[in-house]
């Protein structure tokens, strides 16, 4: 998608052809994603240990370090993904439609950044569907189940979507 190249064109117009500045664009996107994740989860994490572990763990993770050092789409895609999820969480908490609109704009820019956003959308759809199914089964009423239900539904949804994605690739390979 052209988002990275449009942002690169703005950087080029402002600073000329300067490759460290181009790389700074993706590094800033990765840092903003980490900051947004911290803001999203800071209420659930312990004030010192958990919050710092999130910041340092993500900041030093191989994925963030690798992708944020190159002029590549992934850090911007990750930032837009986190923005979409953050807006969805805020909309769920406040029912304010401004968050819903912001999340839809961020989801649109995800597709504008990388067409593989369709895989992300599909994974989210399956995760939401399985979460709703798990909620309907009322698993938490069972005495031996002291855990919240939504992480189980989300995990099952991601596993099912991943399986379907991998199985689909195998079918394509067999047909060729």
């Amino acid at each position: 998608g052209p988002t990275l190249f449009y942002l690169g064109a703005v950087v080029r117009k402002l600073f000329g052809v300067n490759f460290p500045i181009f790389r700074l664009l993706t590094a800033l996107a990765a840092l903003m994603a980490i900051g947004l994740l911290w803001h999203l989860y800071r209420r659930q994490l312990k004030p010192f240990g958990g919050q710092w572990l999130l910041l340092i763990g993500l900041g030093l993770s191989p994925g963030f370090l690798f992708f944020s050092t190159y002029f590549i789409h992934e850090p911007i895609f990750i930032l837009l993904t986190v923005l979409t999820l953050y807006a969805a969480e805020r909309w769920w908490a406040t029912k304010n439609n401004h968050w819903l609109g912001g999340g839809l704009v961020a989801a649109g820019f995800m597709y504008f950044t990388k067409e593989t956003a369709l895989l992300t959308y599909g994974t989210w759809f399956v995760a939401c569907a399985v979460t709703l199914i798990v909620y309907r089964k009322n698993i938490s009423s069972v005495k031996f189940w002291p855990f919240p239900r939504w992480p189980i539904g989300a995990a099952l949804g991601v596993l099912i979507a991943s399986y379907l994605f991998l199985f689909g690739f195998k079918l394509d390979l067999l047909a060729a």
Side-chain angles (χ1 to χ4, degrees):
T3 304
L4 179 68
F5 302 119
Y6 287 154
L7 291 174
V10 170
V11 169
R12 182 173 182 241
K13 187 75 168 169
L14 293 174
F15 301 105
V17 178
N18 189 343
F19 291 111
I21 298 292
F22 285 139
R23 290 182 184 162
L24 185 64
L25 183 69
T26 54
L28 288 175
L31 286 174
M32 286 191 291
I34 291 170
L36 196 58
L37 282 169
W38 175 81
H39 184 69
L40 183 62
Y41 291 114
R42 69 185 158 89
R43 286 170 273 169
Q44 286 92 6
L45 297 174
K46 293 185 179 181
F48 181 74
Q51 292 178 1
W52 281 103
L53 186 63
L54 174 77
L55 291 173
I56 293 169
L58 283 176
L60 296 178
S61 70
F64 271 97
L65 287 176
F66 175 77
F67 286 124
S68 63
T69 57
Y70 295 102
F71 189 67
I72 194 166
H73 298 276
E74 274 70 15
I76 295 171
F77 186 77
I78 292 169
L79 174 63
L80 291 169
T81 303
V82 173
L83 277 171
T84 304
L85 295 175
Y86 180 74
E89 190 274 334
R90 295 304 309 146
W91 176 77
W92 188 265
T94 64
K95 300 297 187 244
N96 184 345
N97 287 336
H98 291 94
W99 287 110
L100 182 61
L104 291 173
V105 167
F109 271 106
M110 282 174 60
Y111 182 75
F112 196 59
T113 300
K114 285 185 69 105
E115 293 80 10
T116 56
L118 294 175
L119 298 173
T120 304
Y121 302 154
T123 303
W124 288 347
F125 176 76
V126 172
C128 288
V130 172
T131 300
L132 290 174
I133 291 169
V134 168
Y135 265 120
R136 291 190 122 176
K137 297 262 184 201
N138 203 8
I139 290 175
S140 66
S141 65
V142 181
K143 295 285 184 207
F144 66 90
W145 195 263
F147 308 109
R149 294 166 286 176
W150 69 266
I152 308 266
L156 284 173
V158 168
L159 286 174
I160 290 170
S162 301
Y163 176 76
L164 292 174
F165 179 71
L166 291 173
F167 187 68
F169 269 127
K170 288 180 183 176
L171 287 179
D172 288 344
L173 292 174
L174 291 175

